[in-house]
Amino acid sequence: MGTDRVATFEAELEGVSTVHRTAAADFEETLAGAIVEPAVGTDIPTEDVSLADTPVETAPSPADVLAAETGVTPAGLGVANYGTITLPASEEPREVVSLYCTRHVAVLAESDLVADMPAAYDRLSEDFAAGTDTQILATGPSSTADMGELLRGVHGPHETHVVVVTDR
Amino acid sequence: MSSRRDRADDLRELMESEGEAIGGNTQLINQLTAENVGSFDRYEELREEARATKEAAIENLPDLIDRLEEAVSANGGQLHVAQDAADANRIIEEILDERGAEKLVKSKSMTTEELEVNDHLEPDYEVVETDLGEYVIQVADETPSHMIGPAMHKSAADIADLFNDAFDLEEPLSDDPAELTEFARERVGEHILDADAGMTGANFVVAESGSIMLVTNEGNARKTAVTPDTHIAVTGVEKVVPTVSDLQPFTELIARTGTGQDITSYVSLLSPPVDTPIPDFEADEFRPAEERDFHLVLVDNGRMAMREDEDLRETLYCIRCGACNNACANFQSLGGHGFGGETYTGGIGTGWEAGVHEMEGAGEMSELCTGCSRCVPKCPVKIDIPWINTVVQDRTNRDAEPGDFDFLVDGLTPDEEPSGLDLQKRFFGNIETVAKLGSLAPGLANALADTSLADWLLERFVGVDERRDLPEFAGETLREWYGARGPRVDDPDREVVLYPDLYTEYFEPERGKAAVRALEALGVRVRIPEVPESGRAPLSQGMVATAREQAERVHGALVGHVDDGRDVVIIEPSDLAMFRSDYEHLLPERSHERLAEHSYDVMEYIYGLLENGADADALAGPAGEGEGRGDERVAYHSHCQQRTLGVERYTTAVLEELGYELRESDVECCGMAGSFGYKSEYYEVSMDVGKRLRADLGDVAGEELVASGTSCRTQLDALYDRAATHPVELVAPETGSR
Ligand code: SF4
C-alpha cells in the first residue's frame, strides 16, 4: 500500500519535481545528492532524521537565506494523487527558507503521505482545530505565464525536491 | 445611429490592438481546462458540493461573520467590516498610519481593484503590485482585462516596449518572456524585502478558525503575507465558509476550471497573524512573530444587498476562477476591455458590476452575452451566468428613457416592456410579429426586403447590419403545408407535437417537412398545432416580462398535448434550451418540469426511436434510401446550447449509424446566436468569432455542410457562401413528401 502511494506521488511529480526515496539511516547521503551549497534549513522533526551532520546551516540569518542556493524544511503531509506537500510554519523561519531559496528541498516521512485531497483535509482540519496556523499546499516550483509563456521560478523556488523517508 | 457606429469602431480597434493576444491566451486556457475537467471523474460531484457549500454560507452569512470575528481576534488579529469602498480605504489607511508604514506591497486581488485602493493610497504611500501580470498593468497604468490574467491582452513584445519606455535601462529588454519575467521578478522582489506592510486578497475565509486561503502560482502572495510585519487581507464578505474541511472541493476545482492545472503551485492556508518569525533584511535578523499585526478587511460594498436579490444572489457564489471569461466566444475576440465594466468583466462580470457598481456599465456588458451558455458547464459552482446577464439587460431596459419613435413601435408590438426600451431590442424581441406580418404576403415582403430602402430603414431604426442577408419568407408556412397535406400515419404507436419554431414556420419549412417525414417513416404520427414563439427572441433582448408571457402561452398551448401522452419534438436547439432550462426562470416549477421532461431535440427523438427498435432502413442514408449507402462525408457544426444540454451526441450517433462519415467543429458560439450578428454594432465581432469556426471546420469542399441551429446556419452561409442543411434533412426519406 505504502509503496504504491509513493509511486503515485512520484508519478504525479514527474518532470515537475524530483523525488528521492531514502531510509532514515541513509538520509544524510541522500540529502547530499539533493542540495546545492550553500544550503540553509530548519530542524526536521522526523524521528532519526537530522540536519546536524550535513552541510546545511540550521540557524540562518535573513542574509544567509538570501545568499543560499538551497533551503531545506520539513513537510507536514504529502498528497499522493496531486504530488502536493504541505509546509507547516513554526517558530523557526521555515516559511522564509522554503520560499526565498532557488532550490527547495522538503523532507517528508512516508507515513505522512495520504492518498488524496479528502484524506489530506481530514488531517488539515484536525491540525487547524488544534491551533496550527499555516499550511501551504505546495506542488512543484513556483511558476507564471504572465509574460506570454509558462516559466518556472518566479517569487518562489525554481526547483523543488522531496526527500521521502521510507521507514518513518 | 451614430452611437452604434462608435461602439462598432471601439470594438474594431480593440480587436486590432488586443484581440490577438487575448484570443490566443483564452483559447489555450479554455482548451486546457476542457481537457482537465473532461478527464477528472469527480468533477460533477465536487461541483455539487461546492455549490451546496456556497448556498449555505451565503444563507448564513451574518452568523458566519460573527463567528469569524471571534476566531480572528482569538488568533490575535482584527476584523473590520467595510460598508463601501470609501469606508474600506479609510480603514486601510488608518492601519497603515498606525503602523507608520510607507511602502505597501500587494498581491493580486480583484476586490482591491474594485475599491481602487492604489489610487486612494498612492499620493501618500508607495504601492507596488507583486503579481507579475498585475505589475505590468500597474506600470502601464491600465485596468486588468481578465479576472485571473490581468495583462492577458498584452504580448511579450508589448511588455518589452512598455518596460523599455517606463524604465531607464542600460540595455533594452528583448521580447523573450524569460528575460522579461526575470526583470520584473527582480524589481518586484526588492520592493518586497523592504516593504512595511503586505496586502493580499483572500480566495476563501474560514469562520471557525479565522483562516484565509490564497491561491497562487508565483509565490508572491506568500511573500507578501509573511515578509513585512503587517499583513492586511482585503476581501468580499461573500468569501466566508464555515470550516476548513469546506475548502476541499474548492482546492480541487479552482485551478482546473481557472487555468487547467490540477492545482496551483501554492494553496496557502493561513490563520494570521502567523507564527513564522519576521525577516528583517536590513538589520539581518529574525524578529519574533509576536510583533506581527494582522487585519482582515471584509468588504460589503453592495454584497449584502445582492444577497437579498433573488436574481443576483448567485453571483456571490462565484469563486472568480475566470473560466466563464475564457469560455466566452465574444471575450475571445474582445477581451475584458471590450466588455467594459469598472472592475469585473466578461461572463459573471456583469453580475458583479451590477451589484457593486453602476447598472449602466453592467448593461452594456450584458449585451455582449449571446446566451450561448458555453460558460455554464465550465463554472465550478454551477452559476447560471446567461440568466444573470439577461436579468441585468432587463433592468437596464427598464431604466432607459423613452425615445422618439416609441409611439410607432408601441402600436405595432404591444409587449410587456417599458416605453424606453431601445427600438433595436424591441424589433428583435418581437420578431414573431414581424414574421407574421411578412408572411401574409411573402413575395411582397421579400421584394421589399431586397431593396436598399429597406436596408437603410432597418439599419437606421433598428440597427440591422446592411452586410447581413435577411432570411427570406417561404411561399407557404410549415403549418399551411401540413394543414393541406394532413397526417400520413394511421394507427400509430406514438403521437408527437412538432414544435413549429418561428424560423421553421415562416422561413425554412423544408426542415420542418423533413422532420415530419422522418418521424412518420418511423411510425410516429405528427401534429403541428399553433404554438407561439418560445420567448427566446425577447429573452435574448433582456425582455423578461415579454418572454415570461410567451412562455406561459407556449405552456398553455402544449400542456394539453403532454397530458394526452404526446411528446414535444423540437428542431431549433435554442428553443429546446428554452423548454429544458430557461423556462425554469419563467414558469412555475411544476409547469417547467412537466414540459422539460417531455421535450426532445428532433435528432434525440429519432435516436430514441431507433434504440427502441424502429427500423433505421426506413430513413434515408448517404446514397438515398435503404440500400447502397455510400460514404458521404459531413462537416457538422452542432449548436452551443445543444452541447451544454449534452444532446448533440444524438445527432452524430444517428448520422453515423446511417453511414455518414462525420467530422465536427467544437468552437464556442460561432458568433451569431440569434439577433447578435445582425446588429450593426456587433457585426464585425460576430465575423471575427466566425473566423474561428471557419478555421476549425476548414474547407468543406466535397462535404455536406450541416448545422443544427438557425443562427449557426446563417453564419455558415455567410462564411462559406453556400447553404447549410439541418441534420434531419439528411435522414428524412423523400417519399411521403407532397
Ligand atoms: S462565474 Fe463561475 S466560471 Fe465565472 S469566474 Fe465565477 S466561479 Fe468562475
Side-chain angles (χ1 to χ4, degrees), chain B residues 181-248:
Chain B
T181 300
E182 187 53 27
F183 172 81
R185 189 190 74 85
E186 258 176 41
R187 293 242 152 183
V188 169
E190 277 164 24
H191 288 294
I192 298 176
L193 296 185
D194 63 4
D196 306 306
M199 183 183 286
T200 67
N203 295 77
F204 295 90
V205 181
V206 180
E208 180 187 66
S209 59
S211 315
I212 63 173
M213 175 163 149
L214 299 169
V215 181
T216 70
N217 275 316
E218 294 183 3
N220 61 312
R222 287 172 68 190
K223 281 188 172 170
T224 303
V226 306
T227 308
D229 62 10
T230 304
H231 176 193
I232 308 173
V234 183
T235 196
V237 285
E238 81 282 7
K239 302 287 181 66
V240 188
V241 296
T243 67
V244 169
S245 61
D246 288 322
L247 299 175
Q248 178 249 318

Side-chain angles (χ1 to χ4, degrees), chain B residues 368-389:
Chain B
L368 280 165
C369 175
T370 65
C372 81
S373 77
R374 291 310 289 151
C375 53
V376 173
K378 295 257 179 171
C379 175
V381 279
K382 306 181 80 162
I383 297 177
D384 191 345
I385 300 157
W387 175 251
I388 290 173
N389 280 292

Side-chain angles (χ1 to χ4, degrees), chain A residues 60-63 82 91-92 95 98 100 117 121 133-135 137-139 141-144 146-147 151 154-156, chain B residues 130-131 133 177 181 185 217-218 220 222-223 227 244 251-252 256 265-267 269-271 274-275 277 284 286:
Chain A
S61 74
Y82 277 87
E91 320 271 298
E92 290 174 286
E95 175 65 345
S98 66
Y100 275 89
M117 217 38 103
Y121 264 90
D133 80 356
T134 303
Q135 287 274 21
L137 283 76
T139 314
S142 71
S143 65
T144 185
D146 280 341
M147 303 292 167
L151 292 162
V154 191
H155 298 292
Chain B
T130 61
D131 172 89
T181 300
R185 189 190 74 85
N217 275 316
E218 294 183 3
N220 61 312
R222 287 172 68 190
K223 281 188 172 170
T227 308
V244 169
T251 303
E252 297 196 63
R256 291 180 198 277
S265 302
Y266 306 114
V267 174
L269 299 171
L270 316 170
S271 307
V274 291
D275 285 342
D284 196 23
F286 282 102

